[in-house]
Amino acid sequence: MNTLLKLTDIPHIMSDGYLCDERRGLLFLSLWGRDTAIQELLARLTLKNEEGLSQLTLVSDALHEHLLFPGDSLDKRSSRHPRTRFGELINLWLFDKRCLEPDRANGLAFLLLKRDDPHWRERVWVLLQETSSLPLLPHWQGVILEMLQTGDMLTPVGGYGDVSGWQLALDTPRLTEQIRKAIVAGILTVDSGQNSAVVSSRYAA
């Protein structure tokens, strides 16, 4: 079990996990605390003066700092847990809205997963279909995911705790051209049975 991180900005709030992008922008954050502390945090996240929070600082027992920068498109969910060893606590989730609804206009979306999820490919494939309007056949999954990863259109996001994730950042014109070339080369076919053994072995899970 991972050590809980302490939120230094407001006393008595702890975190058991987070995800962020390459610029430390907050994608997902799980926090635990009493109701008054959680409400103070939510209020200060909305303030634009010196009392507001433009960054969040989490520290471990070793005093290693984890900086997160909350954006303007955060959503939240919370649940109440009356029976814990510390009494009644609130579990607050803060997350980028694009974790729920893809930004289809810009081809940008995020997928949250439990760490080491064995079904991540299937879930990324579903997210791709929700984000892109390109007609993608089911048996293209392995080839397309390989294209996305090698083209830096599908990248893992880092964090802490028992969570992991992926960032989908589509370059639709480039992806369309790659798919066209793969069809011409016979790598992608209309009939799933026509895929060559070489291609099947190359993109096997």
Side-chain angles (χ1 to χ4, degrees), residues 62-95:
L63 299 182
H64 176 69
E65 288 191 345
H66 304 248
L67 295 179
L68 297 173
F69 298 95
D72 296 325
S73 60
L74 291 181
D75 204 341
K76 65 180 184 296
R77 298 288 187 274
S78 65
S79 57
R80 190 176 298 272
H81 298 261
R83 295 184 180 89
T84 76
R85 59 182 296 187
F86 305 105
E88 183 173 271
L89 294 178
I90 303 296
N91 183 204
L92 173 69
W93 286 2
L94 297 173
F95 52 90

PDB file of all heavy atoms in Angstrom, residues 62-95:
ATOM      1  N   ALA A  62       8.954  11.388   3.470  1.00  0.00           N
ATOM      2  CA  ALA A  62      10.338  11.779   3.212  1.00  0.00           C
ATOM      3  C   ALA A  62      10.450  13.239   2.793  1.00  0.00           C
ATOM      4  O   ALA A  62      11.525  13.704   2.418  1.00  0.00           O
ATOM      5  CB  ALA A  62      10.942  10.890   2.128  1.00  0.00           C
ATOM      6  N   LEU A  63       9.327  13.965   2.885  1.00  0.00           N
ATOM      7  CA  LEU A  63       9.251  15.388   2.534  1.00  0.00           C
ATOM      8  C   LEU A  63       9.545  15.645   1.062  1.00  0.00           C
ATOM      9  O   LEU A  63       9.945  16.744   0.684  1.00  0.00           O
ATOM     10  CB  LEU A  63      10.199  16.214   3.421  1.00  0.00           C
ATOM     11  CG  LEU A  63       9.897  16.160   4.923  1.00  0.00           C
ATOM     12  CD1 LEU A  63      10.865  17.060   5.687  1.00  0.00           C
ATOM     13  CD2 LEU A  63       8.447  16.566   5.208  1.00  0.00           C
ATOM     14  N   HIS A  64       9.336  14.621   0.236  1.00  0.00           N
ATOM     15  CA  HIS A  64       9.444  14.821  -1.208  1.00  0.00           C
ATOM     16  C   HIS A  64       8.177  15.509  -1.704  1.00  0.00           C
ATOM     17  O   HIS A  64       7.065  15.077  -1.405  1.00  0.00           O
ATOM     18  CB  HIS A  64       9.624  13.485  -1.915  1.00  0.00           C
ATOM     19  CG  HIS A  64       9.655  13.594  -3.407  1.00  0.00           C
ATOM     20  ND1 HIS A  64      10.701  14.198  -4.070  1.00  0.00           N
ATOM     21  CD2 HIS A  64       8.767  13.195  -4.356  1.00  0.00           C
ATOM     22  CE1 HIS A  64      10.464  14.155  -5.367  1.00  0.00           C
ATOM     23  NE2 HIS A  64       9.290  13.556  -5.562  1.00  0.00           N
ATOM     24  N   GLU A  65       8.334  16.596  -2.451  1.00  0.00           N
ATOM     25  CA  GLU A  65       7.191  17.390  -2.891  1.00  0.00           C
ATOM     26  C   GLU A  65       6.640  16.904  -4.225  1.00  0.00           C
ATOM     27  O   GLU A  65       7.386  16.549  -5.129  1.00  0.00           O
ATOM     28  CB  GLU A  65       7.572  18.869  -3.009  1.00  0.00           C
ATOM     29  CG  GLU A  65       7.782  19.570  -1.685  1.00  0.00           C
ATOM     30  CD  GLU A  65       7.899  21.067  -1.846  1.00  0.00           C
ATOM     31  OE1 GLU A  65       8.110  21.542  -2.983  1.00  0.00           O
ATOM     32  OE2 GLU A  65       7.772  21.768  -0.827  1.00  0.00           O
ATOM     33  N   HIS A  66       5.314  16.897  -4.320  1.00  0.00           N
ATOM     34  CA  HIS A  66       4.601  16.594  -5.557  1.00  0.00           C
ATOM     35  C   HIS A  66       3.749  17.827  -5.868  1.00  0.00           C
ATOM     36  O   HIS A  66       2.761  18.100  -5.162  1.00  0.00           O
ATOM     37  CB  HIS A  66       3.701  15.373  -5.390  1.00  0.00           C
ATOM     38  CG  HIS A  66       4.399  14.141  -4.920  1.00  0.00           C
ATOM     39  ND1 HIS A  66       4.567  13.025  -5.724  1.00  0.00           N
ATOM     40  CD2 HIS A  66       4.977  13.834  -3.722  1.00  0.00           C
ATOM     41  CE1 HIS A  66       5.202  12.093  -5.041  1.00  0.00           C
ATOM     42  NE2 HIS A  66       5.462  12.553  -3.822  1.00  0.00           N
ATOM     43  N   LEU A  67       4.108  18.579  -6.902  1.00  0.00           N
ATOM     44  CA  LEU A  67       3.359  19.786  -7.271  1.00  0.00           C
ATOM     45  C   LEU A  67       2.327  19.461  -8.338  1.00  0.00           C
ATOM     46  O   LEU A  67       2.603  18.739  -9.293  1.00  0.00           O
ATOM     47  CB  LEU A  67       4.312  20.868  -7.784  1.00  0.00           C
ATOM     48  CG  LEU A  67       5.323  21.435  -6.786  1.00  0.00           C
ATOM     49  CD1 LEU A  67       6.197  22.473  -7.469  1.00  0.00           C
ATOM     50  CD2 LEU A  67       4.624  22.030  -5.577  1.00  0.00           C
ATOM     51  N   LEU A  68       1.137  20.020  -8.181  1.00  0.00           N
ATOM     52  CA  LEU A  68       0.066  19.865  -9.148  1.00  0.00           C
ATOM     53  C   LEU A  68      -0.540  21.232  -9.427  1.00  0.00           C
ATOM     54  O   LEU A  68      -0.699  22.048  -8.520  1.00  0.00           O
ATOM     55  CB  LEU A  68      -1.022  18.929  -8.624  1.00  0.00           C
ATOM     56  CG  LEU A  68      -0.627  17.475  -8.350  1.00  0.00           C
ATOM     57  CD1 LEU A  68      -1.781  16.739  -7.687  1.00  0.00           C
ATOM     58  CD2 LEU A  68      -0.211  16.772  -9.630  1.00  0.00           C
ATOM     59  N   PHE A  69      -0.877  21.455 -10.690  1.00  0.00           N
ATOM     60  CA  PHE A  69      -1.469  22.732 -11.090  1.00  0.00           C
ATOM     61  C   PHE A  69      -2.893  22.495 -11.589  1.00  0.00           C
ATOM     62  O   PHE A  69      -3.092  21.982 -12.691  1.00  0.00           O
ATOM     63  CB  PHE A  69      -0.616  23.399 -12.168  1.00  0.00           C
ATOM     64  CG  PHE A  69       0.775  23.731 -11.702  1.00  0.00           C
ATOM     65  CD1 PHE A  69       1.830  22.856 -11.938  1.00  0.00           C
ATOM     66  CD2 PHE A  69       1.030  24.906 -11.003  1.00  0.00           C
ATOM     67  CE1 PHE A  69       3.115  23.149 -11.492  1.00  0.00           C
ATOM     68  CE2 PHE A  69       2.306  25.208 -10.564  1.00  0.00           C
ATOM     69  CZ  PHE A  69       3.348  24.326 -10.805  1.00  0.00           C
ATOM     70  N   PRO A  70      -3.894  22.841 -10.762  1.00  0.00           N
ATOM     71  CA  PRO A  70      -5.292  22.643 -11.179  1.00  0.00           C
ATOM     72  C   PRO A  70      -5.683  23.625 -12.276  1.00  0.00           C
ATOM     73  O   PRO A  70      -5.401  24.815 -12.194  1.00  0.00           O
ATOM     74  CB  PRO A  70      -6.083  22.898  -9.888  1.00  0.00           C
ATOM     75  CG  PRO A  70      -5.199  23.786  -9.066  1.00  0.00           C
ATOM     76  CD  PRO A  70      -3.786  23.401  -9.406  1.00  0.00           C
ATOM     77  N   GLY A  71      -6.337  23.118 -13.306  1.00  0.00           N
ATOM     78  CA  GLY A  71      -6.781  23.974 -14.400  1.00  0.00           C
ATOM     79  C   GLY A  71      -8.167  24.540 -14.146  1.00  0.00           C
ATOM     80  O   GLY A  71      -8.724  24.435 -13.043  1.00  0.00           O
ATOM     81  N   ASP A  72      -8.727  25.133 -15.190  1.00  0.00           N
ATOM     82  CA  ASP A  72     -10.044  25.768 -15.067  1.00  0.00           C
ATOM     83  C   ASP A  72     -11.180  24.827 -15.454  1.00  0.00           C
ATOM     84  O   ASP A  72     -12.349  25.222 -15.378  1.00  0.00           O
ATOM     85  CB  ASP A  72     -10.108  27.017 -15.947  1.00  0.00           C
ATOM     86  CG  ASP A  72      -9.127  28.091 -15.488  1.00  0.00           C
ATOM     87  OD1 ASP A  72      -8.920  28.200 -14.264  1.00  0.00           O
ATOM     88  OD2 ASP A  72      -8.570  28.795 -16.349  1.00  0.00           O
ATOM     89  N   SER A  73     -10.846  23.603 -15.892  1.00  0.00           N
ATOM     90  CA  SER A  73     -11.896  22.688 -16.368  1.00  0.00           C
ATOM     91  C   SER A  73     -12.020  21.469 -15.463  1.00  0.00           C
ATOM     92  O   SER A  73     -12.153  20.344 -15.931  1.00  0.00           O
ATOM     93  CB  SER A  73     -11.594  22.239 -17.802  1.00  0.00           C
ATOM     94  OG  SER A  73     -10.349  21.555 -17.864  1.00  0.00           O
ATOM     95  N   LEU A  74     -11.971  21.715 -14.146  1.00  0.00           N
ATOM     96  CA  LEU A  74     -12.065  20.613 -13.205  1.00  0.00           C
ATOM     97  C   LEU A  74     -13.515  20.292 -12.855  1.00  0.00           C
ATOM     98  O   LEU A  74     -14.354  21.174 -12.744  1.00  0.00           O
ATOM     99  CB  LEU A  74     -11.305  20.931 -11.919  1.00  0.00           C
ATOM    100  CG  LEU A  74      -9.780  21.002 -12.000  1.00  0.00           C
ATOM    101  CD1 LEU A  74      -9.197  21.304 -10.629  1.00  0.00           C
ATOM    102  CD2 LEU A  74      -9.198  19.714 -12.560  1.00  0.00           C
ATOM    103  N   ASP A  75     -13.767  19.009 -12.669  1.00  0.00           N
ATOM    104  CA  ASP A  75     -15.039  18.541 -12.148  1.00  0.00           C
ATOM    105  C   ASP A  75     -14.752  17.833 -10.827  1.00  0.00           C
ATOM    106  O   ASP A  75     -13.588  17.613 -10.474  1.00  0.00           O
ATOM    107  CB  ASP A  75     -15.714  17.586 -13.129  1.00  0.00           C
ATOM    108  CG  ASP A  75     -17.221  17.538 -12.949  1.00  0.00           C
ATOM    109  OD1 ASP A  75     -17.707  17.948 -11.875  1.00  0.00           O
ATOM    110  OD2 ASP A  75     -17.914  17.069 -13.877  1.00  0.00           O
ATOM    111  N   LYS A  76     -15.778  17.474 -10.097  1.00  0.00           N
ATOM    112  CA  LYS A  76     -15.556  16.849  -8.787  1.00  0.00           C
ATOM    113  C   LYS A  76     -16.644  15.839  -8.482  1.00  0.00           C
ATOM    114  O   LYS A  76     -17.778  15.933  -8.977  1.00  0.00           O
ATOM    115  CB  LYS A  76     -15.494  17.904  -7.677  1.00  0.00           C
ATOM    116  CG  LYS A  76     -16.787  18.655  -7.439  1.00  0.00           C
ATOM    117  CD  LYS A  76     -16.634  19.681  -6.327  1.00  0.00           C
ATOM    118  CE  LYS A  76     -17.945  20.394  -5.996  1.00  0.00           C
ATOM    119  NZ  LYS A  76     -18.431  21.197  -7.122  1.00  0.00           N
ATOM    120  N   ARG A  77     -16.276  14.877  -7.670  1.00  0.00           N
ATOM    121  CA  ARG A  77     -17.204  13.911  -7.092  1.00  0.00           C
ATOM    122  C   ARG A  77     -16.780  13.693  -5.647  1.00  0.00           C
ATOM    123  O   ARG A  77     -15.589  13.751  -5.335  1.00  0.00           O
ATOM    124  CB  ARG A  77     -17.175  12.571  -7.840  1.00  0.00           C
ATOM    125  CG  ARG A  77     -17.589  12.628  -9.295  1.00  0.00           C
ATOM    126  CD  ARG A  77     -19.092  12.852  -9.438  1.00  0.00           C
ATOM    127  NE  ARG A  77     -19.505  12.737 -10.838  1.00  0.00           N
ATOM    128  CZ  ARG A  77     -19.469  13.727 -11.721  1.00  0.00           C
ATOM    129  NH1 ARG A  77     -19.011  14.922 -11.340  1.00  0.00           N
ATOM    130  NH2 ARG A  77     -19.860  13.542 -12.956  1.00  0.00           N
ATOM    131  N   SER A  78     -17.713  13.437  -4.766  1.00  0.00           N
ATOM    132  CA  SER A  78     -17.358  13.203  -3.363  1.00  0.00           C
ATOM    133  C   SER A  78     -18.272  12.150  -2.768  1.00  0.00           C
ATOM    134  O   SER A  78     -19.407  11.947  -3.221  1.00  0.00           O
ATOM    135  CB  SER A  78     -17.441  14.495  -2.548  1.00  0.00           C
ATOM    136  OG  SER A  78     -18.762  14.981  -2.487  1.00  0.00           O
ATOM    137  N   SER A  79     -17.758  11.478  -1.753  1.00  0.00           N
ATOM    138  CA  SER A  79     -18.544  10.491  -1.013  1.00  0.00           C
ATOM    139  C   SER A  79     -18.200  10.606   0.465  1.00  0.00           C
ATOM    140  O   SER A  79     -17.077  10.979   0.826  1.00  0.00           O
ATOM    141  CB  SER A  79     -18.274   9.073  -1.524  1.00  0.00           C
ATOM    142  OG  SER A  79     -16.893   8.754  -1.435  1.00  0.00           O
ATOM    143  N   ARG A  80     -19.172  10.277   1.288  1.00  0.00           N
ATOM    144  CA  ARG A  80     -19.010  10.400   2.732  1.00  0.00           C
ATOM    145  C   ARG A  80     -18.772   9.012   3.330  1.00  0.00           C
ATOM    146  O   ARG A  80     -19.497   8.063   3.020  1.00  0.00           O
ATOM    147  CB  ARG A  80     -20.256  11.051   3.331  1.00  0.00           C
ATOM    148  CG  ARG A  80     -20.129  11.452   4.798  1.00  0.00           C
ATOM    149  CD  ARG A  80     -21.394  12.170   5.239  1.00  0.00           C
ATOM    150  NE  ARG A  80     -21.599  13.400   4.487  1.00  0.00           N
ATOM    151  CZ  ARG A  80     -21.105  14.591   4.824  1.00  0.00           C
ATOM    152  NH1 ARG A  80     -20.368  14.706   5.920  1.00  0.00           N
ATOM    153  NH2 ARG A  80     -21.352  15.653   4.083  1.00  0.00           N
ATOM    154  N   HIS A  81     -17.773   8.922   4.199  1.00  0.00           N
ATOM    155  CA  HIS A  81     -17.429   7.651   4.837  1.00  0.00           C
ATOM    156  C   HIS A  81     -17.493   7.838   6.358  1.00  0.00           C
ATOM    157  O   HIS A  81     -16.538   8.324   6.974  1.00  0.00           O
ATOM    158  CB  HIS A  81     -16.034   7.202   4.402  1.00  0.00           C
ATOM    159  CG  HIS A  81     -15.917   6.954   2.930  1.00  0.00           C
ATOM    160  ND1 HIS A  81     -15.976   5.695   2.376  1.00  0.00           N
ATOM    161  CD2 HIS A  81     -15.782   7.828   1.888  1.00  0.00           C
ATOM    162  CE1 HIS A  81     -15.869   5.790   1.058  1.00  0.00           C
ATOM    163  NE2 HIS A  81     -15.749   7.075   0.733  1.00  0.00           N
ATOM    164  N   PRO A  82     -18.609   7.461   6.984  1.00  0.00           N
ATOM    165  CA  PRO A  82     -18.802   7.753   8.416  1.00  0.00           C
ATOM    166  C   PRO A  82     -17.988   6.867   9.352  1.00  0.00           C
ATOM    167  O   PRO A  82     -17.727   7.254  10.482  1.00  0.00           O
ATOM    168  CB  PRO A  82     -20.301   7.522   8.618  1.00  0.00           C
ATOM    169  CG  PRO A  82     -20.690   6.566   7.535  1.00  0.00           C
ATOM    170  CD  PRO A  82     -19.799   6.869   6.370  1.00  0.00           C
ATOM    171  N   ARG A  83     -17.577   5.699   8.886  1.00  0.00           N
ATOM    172  CA  ARG A  83     -16.896   4.766   9.789  1.00  0.00           C
ATOM    173  C   ARG A  83     -15.470   4.504   9.334  1.00  0.00           C
ATOM    174  O   ARG A  83     -15.189   3.565   8.608  1.00  0.00           O
ATOM    175  CB  ARG A  83     -17.677   3.455   9.870  1.00  0.00           C
ATOM    176  CG  ARG A  83     -19.061   3.587  10.489  1.00  0.00           C
ATOM    177  CD  ARG A  83     -19.739   2.231  10.624  1.00  0.00           C
ATOM    178  NE  ARG A  83     -21.064   2.349  11.221  1.00  0.00           N
ATOM    179  CZ  ARG A  83     -22.169   2.548  10.534  1.00  0.00           C
ATOM    180  NH1 ARG A  83     -22.109   2.662   9.216  1.00  0.00           N
ATOM    181  NH2 ARG A  83     -23.340   2.647  11.145  1.00  0.00           N
ATOM    182  N   THR A  84     -14.562   5.363   9.724  1.00  0.00           N
ATOM    183  CA  THR A  84     -13.139   5.154   9.503  1.00  0.00           C
ATOM    184  C   THR A  84     -12.430   5.266  10.843  1.00  0.00           C
ATOM    185  O   THR A  84     -13.021   5.706  11.835  1.00  0.00           O
ATOM    186  CB  THR A  84     -12.544   6.194   8.532  1.00  0.00           C
ATOM    187  OG1 THR A  84     -12.383   7.450   9.219  1.00  0.00           O
ATOM    188  CG2 THR A  84     -13.432   6.397   7.318  1.00  0.00           C
ATOM    189  N   ARG A  85     -11.170   4.893  10.874  1.00  0.00           N
ATOM    190  CA  ARG A  85     -10.411   4.968  12.134  1.00  0.00           C
ATOM    191  C   ARG A  85     -10.224   6.410  12.595  1.00  0.00           C
ATOM    192  O   ARG A  85      -9.864   6.670  13.743  1.00  0.00           O
ATOM    193  CB  ARG A  85      -9.054   4.291  11.968  1.00  0.00           C
ATOM    194  CG  ARG A  85      -8.196   4.882  10.886  1.00  0.00           C
ATOM    195  CD  ARG A  85      -6.886   4.149  10.729  1.00  0.00           C
ATOM    196  NE  ARG A  85      -6.052   4.265  11.918  1.00  0.00           N
ATOM    197  CZ  ARG A  85      -4.806   3.829  11.988  1.00  0.00           C
ATOM    198  NH1 ARG A  85      -4.262   3.214  10.943  1.00  0.00           N
ATOM    199  NH2 ARG A  85      -4.113   3.979  13.091  1.00  0.00           N
ATOM    200  N   PHE A  86     -10.472   7.375  11.688  1.00  0.00           N
ATOM    201  CA  PHE A  86     -10.335   8.798  12.019  1.00  0.00           C
ATOM    202  C   PHE A  86     -11.691   9.481  12.170  1.00  0.00           C
ATOM    203  O   PHE A  86     -11.783  10.707  12.225  1.00  0.00           O
ATOM    204  CB  PHE A  86      -9.520   9.518  10.946  1.00  0.00           C
ATOM    205  CG  PHE A  86      -8.176   8.902  10.702  1.00  0.00           C
ATOM    206  CD1 PHE A  86      -7.941   8.147   9.561  1.00  0.00           C
ATOM    207  CD2 PHE A  86      -7.143   9.054  11.621  1.00  0.00           C
ATOM    208  CE1 PHE A  86      -6.692   7.568   9.339  1.00  0.00           C
ATOM    209  CE2 PHE A  86      -5.901   8.477  11.406  1.00  0.00           C
ATOM    210  CZ  PHE A  86      -5.677   7.730  10.261  1.00  0.00           C
ATOM    211  N   GLY A  87     -12.755   8.698  12.232  1.00  0.00           N
ATOM    212  CA  GLY A  87     -14.090   9.270  12.293  1.00  0.00           C
ATOM    213  C   GLY A  87     -14.664   9.463  10.899  1.00  0.00           C
ATOM    214  O   GLY A  87     -14.244   8.806   9.945  1.00  0.00           O
ATOM    215  N   GLU A  88     -15.618  10.355  10.760  1.00  0.00           N
ATOM    216  CA  GLU A  88     -16.251  10.580   9.459  1.00  0.00           C
ATOM    217  C   GLU A  88     -15.326  11.380   8.546  1.00  0.00           C
ATOM    218  O   GLU A  88     -14.844  12.458   8.913  1.00  0.00           O
ATOM    219  CB  GLU A  88     -17.565  11.329   9.629  1.00  0.00           C
ATOM    220  CG  GLU A  88     -18.309  11.537   8.311  1.00  0.00           C
ATOM    221  CD  GLU A  88     -19.681  12.141   8.511  1.00  0.00           C
ATOM    222  OE1 GLU A  88     -20.648  11.377   8.702  1.00  0.00           O
ATOM    223  OE2 GLU A  88     -19.778  13.389   8.474  1.00  0.00           O
ATOM    224  N   LEU A  89     -15.085  10.868   7.336  1.00  0.00           N
ATOM    225  CA  LEU A  89     -14.227  11.527   6.365  1.00  0.00           C
ATOM    226  C   LEU A  89     -14.945  11.658   5.023  1.00  0.00           C
ATOM    227  O   LEU A  89     -15.832  10.860   4.687  1.00  0.00           O
ATOM    228  CB  LEU A  89     -12.926  10.753   6.166  1.00  0.00           C
ATOM    229  CG  LEU A  89     -11.958  10.677   7.350  1.00  0.00           C
ATOM    230  CD1 LEU A  89     -10.745   9.828   6.982  1.00  0.00           C
ATOM    231  CD2 LEU A  89     -11.513  12.069   7.795  1.00  0.00           C
ATOM    232  N   ILE A  90     -14.532  12.662   4.267  1.00  0.00           N
ATOM    233  CA  ILE A  90     -15.010  12.865   2.898  1.00  0.00           C
ATOM    234  C   ILE A  90     -13.904  12.430   1.940  1.00  0.00           C
ATOM    235  O   ILE A  90     -12.737  12.804   2.113  1.00  0.00           O
ATOM    236  CB  ILE A  90     -15.368  14.336   2.638  1.00  0.00           C
ATOM    237  CG1 ILE A  90     -16.409  14.828   3.641  1.00  0.00           C
ATOM    238  CG2 ILE A  90     -15.852  14.529   1.199  1.00  0.00           C
ATOM    239  CD1 ILE A  90     -17.742  14.117   3.537  1.00  0.00           C
ATOM    240  N   ASN A  91     -14.269  11.627   0.953  1.00  0.00           N
ATOM    241  CA  ASN A  91     -13.344  11.308  -0.142  1.00  0.00           C
ATOM    242  C   ASN A  91     -13.735  12.158  -1.346  1.00  0.00           C
ATOM    243  O   ASN A  91     -14.832  12.022  -1.886  1.00  0.00           O
ATOM    244  CB  ASN A  91     -13.420   9.823  -0.493  1.00  0.00           C
ATOM    245  CG  ASN A  91     -12.431   9.405  -1.573  1.00  0.00           C
ATOM    246  OD1 ASN A  91     -12.640   8.417  -2.262  1.00  0.00           O
ATOM    247  ND2 ASN A  91     -11.350  10.146  -1.744  1.00  0.00           N
ATOM    248  N   LEU A  92     -12.846  13.072  -1.713  1.00  0.00           N
ATOM    249  CA  LEU A  92     -13.100  13.991  -2.821  1.00  0.00           C
ATOM    250  C   LEU A  92     -12.240  13.605  -4.012  1.00  0.00           C
ATOM    251  O   LEU A  92     -11.032  13.396  -3.874  1.00  0.00           O
ATOM    252  CB  LEU A  92     -12.766  15.426  -2.397  1.00  0.00           C
ATOM    253  CG  LEU A  92     -12.809  16.494  -3.495  1.00  0.00           C
ATOM    254  CD1 LEU A  92     -14.239  16.732  -3.961  1.00  0.00           C
ATOM    255  CD2 LEU A  92     -12.170  17.797  -3.011  1.00  0.00           C
ATOM    256  N   TRP A  93     -12.865  13.509  -5.189  1.00  0.00           N
ATOM    257  CA  TRP A  93     -12.142  13.317  -6.449  1.00  0.00           C
ATOM    258  C   TRP A  93     -12.225  14.615  -7.238  1.00  0.00           C
ATOM    259  O   TRP A  93     -13.313  15.134  -7.492  1.00  0.00           O
ATOM    260  CB  TRP A  93     -12.745  12.194  -7.270  1.00  0.00           C
ATOM    261  CG  TRP A  93     -12.461  10.818  -6.753  1.00  0.00           C
ATOM    262  CD1 TRP A  93     -11.769  10.480  -5.630  1.00  0.00           C
ATOM    263  CD2 TRP A  93     -12.889   9.589  -7.348  1.00  0.00           C
ATOM    264  NE1 TRP A  93     -11.732   9.121  -5.482  1.00  0.00           N
ATOM    265  CE2 TRP A  93     -12.402   8.547  -6.515  1.00  0.00           C
ATOM    266  CE3 TRP A  93     -13.617   9.257  -8.486  1.00  0.00           C
ATOM    267  CZ2 TRP A  93     -12.633   7.192  -6.810  1.00  0.00           C
ATOM    268  CZ3 TRP A  93     -13.849   7.919  -8.776  1.00  0.00           C
ATOM    269  CH2 TRP A  93     -13.360   6.907  -7.944  1.00  0.00           C
ATOM    270  N   LEU A  94     -11.081  15.153  -7.629  1.00  0.00           N
ATOM    271  CA  LEU A  94     -10.990  16.262  -8.570  1.00  0.00           C
ATOM    272  C   LEU A  94     -10.398  15.730  -9.868  1.00  0.00           C
ATOM    273  O   LEU A  94      -9.400  15.004  -9.832  1.00  0.00           O
ATOM    274  CB  LEU A  94     -10.100  17.379  -8.013  1.00  0.00           C
ATOM    275  CG  LEU A  94     -10.566  18.080  -6.737  1.00  0.00           C
ATOM    276  CD1 LEU A  94      -9.483  19.023  -6.240  1.00  0.00           C
ATOM    277  CD2 LEU A  94     -11.868  18.837  -6.985  1.00  0.00           C
ATOM    278  N   PHE A  95     -10.982  16.095 -11.000  1.00  0.00           N
ATOM    279  CA  PHE A  95     -10.480  15.549 -12.264  1.00  0.00           C
ATOM    280  C   PHE A  95     -10.808  16.479 -13.423  1.00  0.00           C
ATOM    281  O   PHE A  95     -11.768  17.256 -13.382  1.00  0.00           O
ATOM    282  CB  PHE A  95     -11.059  14.157 -12.531  1.00  0.00           C
ATOM    283  CG  PHE A  95     -12.555  14.078 -12.442  1.00  0.00           C
ATOM    284  CD1 PHE A  95     -13.342  14.297 -13.554  1.00  0.00           C
ATOM    285  CD2 PHE A  95     -13.176  13.789 -11.234  1.00  0.00           C
ATOM    286  CE1 PHE A  95     -14.722  14.227 -13.482  1.00  0.00           C
ATOM    287  CE2 PHE A  95     -14.562  13.715 -11.137  1.00  0.00           C
ATOM    288  CZ  PHE A  95     -15.333  13.936 -12.263  1.00  0.00           C
TER     289      PHE A  95
END
